[in-house]
Amino acid sequence: MGFDKNKHLENVLESHKMKHVDDLMKKSIIKREEIKDALKEKFGDEVISRAINSGSYAKHTAINTKFDIDICQPFRYKGFGTLEEMADAVYDYFKNEYKDEDIVSYKTKKQRVSTGLTFLIDGAEIQMDVVSGRELLEDDYSSTTRLNLYVRPKNLDPATSTQTNIQKHVDLIKGKGDERCIIRLLKAWKVSSNTDIKSFFMELITIRAFNAAPEIPTDMWGKLEMAMEFIRDNVKTIRLEDPANANNVVSDTLTDLEKEMLSQKMDTMLRQINDNEENLKIYFPLNKQFHSEEEKKKLAALEMSRRGVVSKPWRND
Amino acid sequence: MKRLLQDIDHAIKYYPGLEKVESSNELRVRGIIILKHPEIGEYDRYTVSISFPRCYPNCFPKVIEVSEKIPKVADRHVNSDNTLCLAVEPEERILCRNGITFKYFLDKVLVPHLSRETYWNYTGKYEDGEYSHGIEGLWEYFGQLLNATKKEDVLNELEKMLHEKWLGRNAPCFCGKAAKFKNCHRKKWERVMLLGQDYLLNWLDILQNDRQNSSNI
Ligand SMILES: [Zn+2]
């Protein structure tokens, strides 16, 4: 009796659905395609193919409070002298040359493996990472989809390069409906609690949680609980490798302290929710902005339920 | 039978998702009930299968919710035979005492009931409460009907109403207060007596038996 955790989680997913931002999404996709066109036009001889979609939207793990329309542009092996030249050429082009009145140009920035673009569309900031990668060998990409990325220096870490396979990342989550739901829920938690964890990290650890489970619970809360318990128990020690490149250790993107805190957060949430189910609403809130439609329906149901002649329902066995 | 058919035909004009299904031994109404609010529009829909027991129109039709939006558990007012539990029995009896029409049932009973369940699906609760399981729910119902909060008072009131001699509207009220009956217990009496003397005597018996092993409401 009372609060239904599964129903609530379904509502959370529903209120975070991309369809609520359909208009914004359509406009964002137009921007994305314009960027792809521009890259092809600008670097005509150097590009192998049109850029591919690589963001959460492409992976079906996007939520409407935070989504990105990232792309990855594959370049020819002979396109640039060095990986750094390639990465900087893309950055310079968008920083200095490319014109779009919706781009917030001071926010165009060099990121670890990409150029970050920010669009302001209908008052919403849309983030787009343009990853540039170079094929490993001449004419290798079309058959392997492998790319080398330039990794910019950060703090004390010097510049390096990494081999990856963006297409493989997109494919990784294909057909994994359960995992995608849990990833979206964990993202909703992440955004609402301002927790900064890389989405790719969350995706990989969630997939591992499902793989490690002897039996997958059938209900939504059961699945979420299972994933949260797995994160709590394993985040500090687990090694998460980029499925496209075992040398790229994704779990290293969090420090030990960050891992410890993530484990503790999971522990706290699980205990609070077990103490009182309704605490689930605190950690996994509805997206109020798109709850209004639900709120309306809820009120409609309440109002109409009061137009009857029966005073109260009876729980009869 | 002809009257029942007319009754149904009239009602489903207002519920285009519903249709009559006639088979050799019974008549059912099946289909979709779209819940609409005059301003907000559609807020839910259910698929139902409705049959008409012998007691109809002096009792409610039997409704099975087949879209499975309502879990088949007593907590959600579903009887063990999968029909919806729409009201406590005496309340249903009062509402149907003069016979009901199918449209009245849909408008005033089923749609509000389904709306209540929709509200539950959104919030996990019934905003206006519900009667408890089984006999306890009946105590609550009679308590409300008689304006009594204690089981003892429910029994006393019922007993007086059923057993005190009728002395006329202007006589002192049977409850012992100084007021005339017409100014005191009349309204309550009229309301309760809609259930009928025999029916009430039967309930009084049930409640008295139950009183042995239970505490207050
Ligand atoms: Zn009186």
Side-chain angles (χ1 to χ4, degrees):
Chain A
M1 176 61 206
F3 182 64
D4 183 337
K5 293 204 285 289
N6 292 313
K7 192 77 217 172
H8 175 72
L9 293 174
E10 273 168 35
N11 289 340
V12 172
L13 286 172
E14 166 63 33
S15 73
H16 282 90
K17 271 193 178 159
M18 297 305 295
K19 68 169 191 210
H20 298 301
V21 290
D22 204 32
D23 191 46
L24 182 63
M25 200 59 229
K26 278 185 190 141
K27 288 176 182 168
S28 305
I29 286 171
I30 291 170
K31 291 292 177 204
R32 187 186 71 194
E33 295 309 309
E34 284 172 3
I35 294 290
K36 289 184 194 172
D37 290 341
L39 282 163
K40 205 151 188 292
E41 173 114 17
K42 170 70 185 174
F43 301 104
D45 291 338
E46 289 93 354
V47 305
I48 297 172
S49 67
R50 210 173 154 73
I52 60 165
N53 302 332
S54 59
S56 57
Y57 187 70
K59 292 177 180 173
H60 300 283
T61 58
I63 56 174
N64 57 29
T65 43
K66 188 171 172 58
F67 67 93
D68 40 54
I69 45 171
D70 303 351
I71 58 169
C72 174
Q73 177 61 64
F75 285 103
R76 284 190 196 291
Y77 183 63
K78 287 184 171 167
F80 293 94
T82 65
L83 290 172
E84 186 178 5
E85 278 174 41
M86 167 191 74
D88 286 347
V90 170
Y91 168 78
D92 289 341
Y93 170 61
F94 286 113
K95 186 73 182 175
N96 304 320
E97 220 177 296
Y98 187 72
K99 291 281 174 281
D100 182 321
E101 56 184 18
D102 295 327
I103 282 192
V104 187
S105 63
Y106 76 90
K107 287 197 172 179
T108 299
K109 58 180 188 284
K110 287 183 180 178
Q111 301 177 146
R112 211 79 209 280
V113 295
S114 62
T115 298
L117 303 178
T118 304
F119 295 91
L120 193 62
I121 303 172
D122 296 343
E125 275 197 359
I126 304 298
Q127 180 67 30
M128 178 173 182
D129 294 345
V130 181
V131 174
S132 46
R134 192 179 69 180
E135 63 183 336
L136 271 55
L137 302 161
E138 205 174 338
D139 295 330
D140 174 78
Y141 180 79
S142 59
S143 55
T144 66
T145 63
R146 295 181 303 182
L147 290 172
N148 266 327
L149 311 183
Y150 177 64
V151 185
R152 293 197 169 90
K154 181 190 171 189
N155 301 334
L156 296 174
D157 298 338
T160 56
S161 68
T162 184
Q163 184 198 325
T164 192
N165 192 327
I166 302 289
Q167 190 59 52
K168 231 177 181 174
H169 294 174
V170 175
D171 294 345
L172 178 70
I173 198 81
K174 259 190 196 153
K176 293 191 164 69
D178 280 352
E179 287 89 334
R180 288 203 296 237
C181 281
I182 300 307
I183 289 166
R184 282 197 290 260
L185 286 169
L186 289 170
K187 277 190 185 177
W189 162 72
K190 211 177 78 166
V191 172
S192 77
S193 65
N194 271 318
T195 308
D196 186 26
I197 304 164
K198 264 189 161 320
S199 291
F200 194 36
F201 183 97
M202 288 301 243
E203 287 167 17
L204 289 177
I205 201 164
T206 304
I207 291 169
R208 282 284 282 276
F210 275 79
N211 288 343
E215 206 176 333
I216 310 291
T218 50
D219 65 313
M220 188 76 79
W221 164 244
K223 288 172 201 156
L224 178 61
E225 188 180 30
M226 176 194 82
M228 289 170 72
E229 284 171 352
F230 183 85
I231 295 172
R232 178 194 63 193
D233 298 338
N234 297 284
V235 69
K236 285 184 273 183
T237 52
I238 200 167
R239 179 183 165 92
L240 298 170
E241 291 168 1
D242 179 345
N245 174 10
N247 293 323
N248 181 14
V249 184
V250 180
S251 44
D252 287 349
T253 56
L254 290 191
T255 65
D256 285 348
L257 182 65
E258 285 170 330
K259 289 175 185 174
E260 174 70 41
M261 280 171 61
L262 182 55
S263 170
Q264 274 179 21
K265 278 183 180 171
M266 290 295 156
D267 185 53
T268 308
M269 283 196 278
L270 285 163
R271 274 189 293 109
Q272 295 280 328
I273 294 164
N274 280 323
D275 278 0
N276 180 358
E277 300 187 320
E278 302 216 14
N279 283 332
L280 188 67
K281 293 193 255 186
I282 299 171
Y283 299 116
F284 296 89
L286 295 161
N287 180 0
K288 287 287 179 333
Q289 196 188 346
F290 301 108
H291 185 48
S292 56
E293 199 55 32
E294 295 215 334
E295 202 66 27
K296 267 193 237 162
K297 287 184 178 178
K298 192 174 94 183
L299 288 174
L302 182 62
E303 217 182 295
M304 296 307 278
S305 76
R306 288 173 170 163
R307 295 197 182 179
V309 289
V310 174
S311 58
K312 285 193 267 185
W314 180 29
R315 296 165 64 191
N316 190 18
D317 257 346
Chain B
M1 188 69 174
K2 190 159 172 268
R3 236 167 93 181
L4 176 59
L5 286 173
Q6 282 175 350
D7 180 31
I8 292 171
D9 285 337
H10 175 71
I12 62 181
K13 269 191 256 167
Y14 297 87
Y15 291 86
L18 295 179
E19 58 174 1
K20 259 184 332 209
V21 183
E22 286 174 84
S23 66
S24 53
N25 55 351
E26 70 160 1
L27 177 61
R28 296 188 83 87
V29 170
R30 286 186 56 104
I32 297 166
I33 291 189
I34 298 171
L35 303 183
K36 275 191 193 152
H37 183 280
E39 287 106 51
I40 296 166
E42 178 176 341
Y43 55 91
D44 210 353
R45 53 174 66 196
Y46 289 88
T47 309
V48 293
S49 174
I50 303 172
S51 61
F52 300 84
R54 276 178 187 284
C55 54
Y56 181 84
N58 293 104
C59 65
F60 291 157
K62 297 271 174 219
V63 183
I64 294 174
E65 190 264 317
V66 291
S67 39
E68 301 194 327
K69 289 184 167 182
I70 306 172
K72 306 252 179 292
V73 292
D75 278 1
R76 300 296 301 279
H77 314 118
V78 181
N79 297 315
S80 47
D81 65 355
N82 276 348
T83 59
L84 299 179
C85 178
L86 297 163
V88 287
E89 199 202 82
E91 188 167 24
E92 175 176 341
R93 187 181 164 92
I94 288 184
L95 291 168
C96 300
R97 69 191 183 279
N98 296 321
I100 55 169
T101 66
F102 189 42
K103 180 163 190 305
Y104 176 87
F105 172 73
L106 293 173
D107 289 348
K108 296 289 178 182
V109 178
L110 188 55
V111 164
H113 182 91
L114 295 173
S115 301
R116 211 151 20 201
E117 296 302 326
T118 294
Y119 184 81
W120 197 99
N121 281 342
Y122 278 118
T123 63
K125 64 181 180 190
Y126 297 103
E127 195 68 25
D128 300 323
E130 58 186 334
Y131 292 115
S132 301
H133 267 291
I135 189 82
E136 278 309 305
L138 270 307
W139 279 108
E140 290 162 16
Y141 173 74
F142 278 107
Q144 187 187 281
L145 191 68
L146 295 159
N147 243 333
T149 48
K150 289 188 189 141
K151 288 186 175 176
E152 224 40 67
D153 297 342
V154 169
L155 293 178
N156 284 338
E157 289 268 309
L158 272 181
E159 257 175 22
K160 278 188 187 137
M161 284 186 184
L162 291 168
H163 296 308
E164 288 296 320
K165 231 180 180 169
W166 171 248
L167 295 169
R169 297 161 50 81
N170 288 311
C173 188
F174 55 70
C175 69
K177 290 209 185 99
K180 290 179 181 175
F181 169 74
K182 70 174 180 186
N183 297 325
C184 186
H185 262 78
R186 181 178 63 101
K187 279 223 170 92
K188 209 188 268 186
W189 187 82
E190 282 172 352
R191 198 164 63 214
V192 174
M193 282 304 162
L194 289 175
L195 286 165
Q197 185 103 10
D198 291 342
Y199 183 80
L200 281 168
L201 282 169
N202 188 38
W203 269 113
L204 180 60
D205 203 39
I206 295 170
L207 294 177
Q208 273 168 339
N209 282 333
D210 183 64
R211 183 72 187 105
Q212 324 291 358
N213 45 21
S214 64
S215 50
N216 275 327
I217 303 173

